[in-house]
Amino acid sequence: MITRYRIGTPFDMESVVVQLPVHDGALPGWETDAQNKCLTRTLAKSDIVYGLGESVRGINKRGWLYTSNNSDDPHHEETKHSLYASQNFVIVFSPDTKIAFGLYVDAPGKINFDIAYTDPDVFSISFEDFDADLYLVEAGSLKEIVREFRGLIGRSYIPPKWAFGLGQSRWSYMTADEVREVADSYDEAGIPLDMIYLDIDYMERYKDFTVNEEAFPDFEAFVKEMKDRGIHLVPIIDAGVKIEEGYPVYEEGIEKGYFCKKENGEELVAAVWPGTAHFPDFLNEDARRWFGDWYGFLTEKGIDGFWNDMNEPAIFYTADHLKEVFEGIRSFEGKNMDLRTFFGFKGLVASLENNPEDYRRFYHDFHGQKVRHDKVHNLFGYYMTRAAGEAFTRLRPGKRTLMFSRSSYIGMHRYGGVWTGDNQSWWSHILLNLRQLPALNMCGFMYSGADLGGFGQDCTEDLVLRWLSLGIFTPLMRDHAAMGTRRQELYRFKNTEAFRNIVGLRYALIPYLYSEFMKAVLKNDMLFLPLSFEFPDDERALTVEDQLYVGESIMIAPVYEQNARGRYVYLPERMKLLRFRSASDFDEEILEKGDHYVPADLNEVLVFLRPGHVLPLAASGARRVDEINEQDLTWFTFEGRPEEYELYTDDGISAIN
Ligand code: MIG
């Protein structure tokens, strides 16, 4: 059961698809304090809080302050409060009483979820603007709460099936030849691959919907050449439109008045990759349609997938703030700077990037109302991706288009997936990746994944292998790394065989993963579940933060520590351990419920099969998703029968209504 409550006069974010009547009165179970703009409730010592999608820390969010304030911050340390997304859905579960409820806070401005941070026994939610729709979700189980909530927000985005293949990315492959070399090297190494990503350098001076003709001559023919060998090229699209005379996207946007404007009616000038740029007003329906249609520039050339970046939106600086900073700097000239003034001076330039003041300098036309950006800040990435998603139904009718975004808000899950942004080649980020997955699923984000191997910093071969032992289970499986970091393409490492085998295992798992993904999307279920969602009565299971159920049949427990030769695993039930060295080389063992130390060498992946369940595996050897033979499956069983498994199949590219 879902009941809608309201505080103040919220906008309609179009994040939900079911219009419920607003219930009079205050949200039950919470104290509403309008003066301090907050909602408060006490937590019992054993209460667990789940949710908040893409955020830092654990599966149990208790003990930290999470701020919904979409931020371009590549330092995903545990002491951060905000990442790129705001997904304001939480579930509070009391193991003592077995009562749980979900709460969705639908408000696009800054919100603090103080989950037993200030006071270890208090959960408080405070707002900058006390206007929100609050949806209280009550049901008999954790899984049922998620199902109900997902019904409220609408069906999750469905990618083409080929998007379950491996994608290779780097900032940036600079030329068509470099892209060819990546494809050739994968083929030579015998490592399957379905996508190569194009980062900002495919464009002409970072201008959206242009192609650098020198580096990528006859782009259309190149897209076809790659597609003929089974590789999809996936270009990036940035939120900022370069200011340049003669550039049609810029000129049309100005002419039609589709860019975000300041109080005085002039377009905001913000700098991002191309230098100074304007932000399309994605919140305005006409502007959204116009920008969406521009994706046609690339779909006409055969492109069938995109990633949307910098849509928090990230701002290097605004022209107005830059001017203030220069003035500020000049005021220090010739002065004897002491401790305080020196840091003030030094901070001036640092304050340029993603400055909160800048988010107050421009406005949107949202449902016909002029709204200051900071009031709706967390919607920007959602509405950019919505522009694309809505356009694809016109540009590629009846077909699925790959789409995922960096910034997001609930509602965007209907138009695209997410990748979790600029992580680092850190062992701790394998764990962060794992912990974000179920929370993303709770919030509707099903097609998701992290930059495998880490975006920033230098990776190591063992880190990438271990990360893949998680990554082969994520719907979005992409290796991506930043400019200047150690090369991270899988064929570059010494133990090619291990990489061939682990990616081969992924491809063999696709019939299962795709089935489980599709069934979860169509039934509003999660693909990744914390152990507690399956075993809420098992005290031990409640605290497990480094294992997940993946679909109905299996549990995974990746190794995430360097030089480990295995790890401790908690089994909440008797299970069959499958230790895979490749799809065709494995050993198996039945393990009793309880704690086990399970050895796992670098080239081994641990999969735990549930009793009464089965796991289908395709024959190895497919180089592309299209080559997987779904007729020829090997069934791993543990007291389960293949006939009882619902294998979902479809053509993988037709849109599903
Ligand atoms: O400020 O396009 O998160 O994946 O490689 C960096 C360059 C801009 C940030 C994205 C990252 C991408 C990078 N972009």
Side-chain angles (χ1 to χ4, degrees), residues 7 68-69 122 186 188 215 231 235 370 515 518 532 554 595 629:
I7 44 180
S68 289
N69 182 33
V122 174
Y186 264 96
E188 276 155 30
I231 302 282
K370 183 176 169 185
S515 280
M518 289 301 295
S532 53
I554 61 173
D595 289 290
N629 182 357

Side-chain angles (χ1 to χ4, degrees), residues 72 171 199-200 236 238 273 307 309-310 316 406 419 421-422 451 455 478 480:
D72 170 22
W171 174 21
D199 208 324
I200 46 177
I236 194 170
D238 280 348
W273 284 106
W307 45 313
D309 190 19
M310 304 291 275
F316 293 171
R406 191 170 73 176
W419 98 97
D422 299 347
D451 288 350
F455 175 75
R478 182 177 77 141
H480 180 46

Side-chain angles (χ1 to χ4, degrees), residues 180-192:
R180 286 186 184 101
E181 193 192 309
V182 172
D184 292 345
S185 306
Y186 264 96
D187 286 353
E188 276 155 30
I191 305 174

Side-chain angles (χ1 to χ4, degrees), residues 17 49 97 127 129 199 229 301 405 429 455 603 616 655:
V17 296
V49 181
T97 58
F127 299 73
D129 294 303
D199 208 324
R229 61 191 288 191
K301 296 180 169 38
S405 168
H429 276 181
F455 175 75
N603 64 335

